[in-house]
Every structure is written in structure tokens, then in C-alpha cells.
Amino acid sequence: MRNILVVLSGPSGVGKGTIAKRLIDRNNDISLSISCTTRNPRDGEIDGKDYFFIQKPQFLQKIDEQGFLEYSEHFENFYGTPKDFVLETLKEKDVLLEIDVNGGLKIKESYPDAVLIMITPPSIQEIRNRLINRHTESEEKIELRMQRIEYELDKQDLYDYSVVNDQLEQAIIDIENIIKSEKIK
């Protein structure tokens, strides 16, 4: 069986992070990709575990050297998926990326064998409830995230699979089954 690159995308609050963590915890043959960023570490974040924290000149040099499978700029900081890290890890095991929709589509362009899975909410109202119940963002930021949901869900047809995260355990099982079936193709 071959090792595969799996991309999980979906709107904020849909449960991508929870699903990714559970997949990694349950499957020793899946590794979570670590992104590079130019932002400063937050409290408790560890270089090489949470992100590879690098300076902007290094990041721009990696762009020039085509060292990213995808990258983007958000709020004056760059984020990118390091090509060498992913390709080296794929020699040993499957690699899981948890990135936004645009990043997922860029990955597919540069790595056509990637398996793109869109995580969708059972309803738009459920997503709003999850964002509110996280208690991590202001109402203004929640509204900004809600405005982006339609854009992201409109990209669903460009993904290989869609999984509704209505029941967390079932969503994880569905993704594990997708991975198993893709590995034997």
C-alpha cells in the first residue's frame, strides 16, 4: 500500500482540529504535517511541533526556491506547507494536512495524488452555535467567519470527498475508511 497525503478542509468551527487530533491519536501510520509561519509563537507553542517558526526573509527565500506545496499571507504573516517535510514524511507514513480550502486546492495542483476531504457542518446554525460556544472570539470575528462559510462550502465540489461532522465518531470512521480505500488504489 502506498502512503498518501490527506487534506482536511472546512469552515471554522466544523471540527477539523478535533478530527485531525483523533485521527493522529488512533492511527500510528498517519503524521500531522507541520506548517511554517512567520508569526511569533503563542504561549505554549513549540517550534517544530506546532509550527516551524521562521523569519520573513527565510520564508520568502523558500517561496523563491519553490519550497512550499502551498502558502498564503494572513494578517501580515505568512503560512506555508513545507514541501521537503511532507515528502520526507510520506516515505514513512501517511501525512495529514489541516488547511483552508484555498490551500487545499493549491496542494492538489502541485501534488495531484493528494486526497482532499471537505468537512461540512450538519447546518449553518450548528456552525454558528459551535463558534459561539468556543468562547474564543468576539461576535465581530464570529460574523467574519460566518461570511466565509458560504465561500468555503461552494468549493466542496472541487474536493474528492465530503464528510458531514454531525456525529464526531462517525465522521472519524468515515475518514478512516476513505484513507483505507485510497491507499489501495
Side-chain angles (χ1 to χ4, degrees):
M1 282 193 284
R2 66 188 179 106
N3 293 327
I4 59 172
L5 176 57
V6 179
V7 174
L8 291 184
S9 299
S12 293
V14 79
K16 296 179 302 289
T18 301
I19 289 171
K21 182 177 181 343
R22 298 268 178 93
L23 286 168
I24 298 299
D25 289 347
R26 289 165 52 146
N27 298 277
N28 292 332
D29 56 344
I30 302 175
S31 179
L32 186 65
S33 178
I34 302 170
S35 296
C36 292
T37 185
T38 58
R39 76 164 172 74
N40 292 323
R42 295 182 182 132
D43 286 344
E45 287 183 329
I46 300 168
D47 184 49
K49 181 177 184 280
D50 298 296
Y51 285 95
F52 295 114
F53 295 99
I54 63 176
Q55 298 299 312
K56 190 173 183 179
Q58 287 175 279
F59 198 101
L60 295 174
Q61 182 178 349
K62 279 184 88 73
I63 290 172
D64 289 343
E65 296 168 350
Q66 298 181 347
F68 294 108
L69 291 174
E70 61 82 33
Y71 68 91
S72 60
E73 185 177 9
H74 298 284
F75 307 109
E76 299 180 5
N77 289 302
F78 285 94
Y79 296 83
T81 303
K83 185 187 297 185
D84 54 353
F85 178 82
V86 169
L87 296 180
E88 281 301 311
T89 306
L90 275 171
K91 292 177 183 176
E92 305 290 324
K93 51 176 62 177
D94 299 328
V95 176
L96 180 67
L97 288 171
E98 178 200 336
I99 58 178
D100 74 4
V101 173
N102 293 333
L105 295 173
K106 286 180 188 174
I107 292 282
K108 193 70 165 184
E109 286 176 17
S110 62
Y111 195 86
D113 288 342
V115 177
L116 274 54
I117 304 172
M118 175 76 70
I119 309 299
T120 63
S123 70
I124 299 300
Q125 185 57 47
E126 178 62 23
I127 262 281
R128 179 180 292 283
N129 293 343
R130 290 178 188 180
L131 289 171
I132 291 168
N133 292 333
R134 286 196 314 199
H135 302 293
T136 57
E137 293 160 336
S138 67
E139 182 64 33
E140 179 181 285
K141 284 192 176 180
I142 289 171
E143 286 309 313
L144 287 173
R145 292 189 185 279
M146 292 301 298
Q147 291 171 17
R148 180 146 170 94
I149 288 172
E150 185 176 334
Y151 169 81
E152 291 175 329
L153 293 178
D154 281 347
K155 303 291 185 197
Q156 186 173 336
D157 290 344
L158 301 173
Y159 271 58
D160 301 308
Y161 299 93
S162 291
V163 173
V164 178
N165 185 14
D166 189 10
Q167 299 294 320
L168 179 62
E169 183 63 23
Q170 187 59 54
I172 293 166
I173 290 168
D174 291 346
I175 293 168
E176 288 173 332
N177 288 333
I178 290 168
I179 292 170
K180 286 175 192 166
S181 71
E182 285 289 333
K183 286 179 72 68
I184 58 174
K185 282 187 175 179

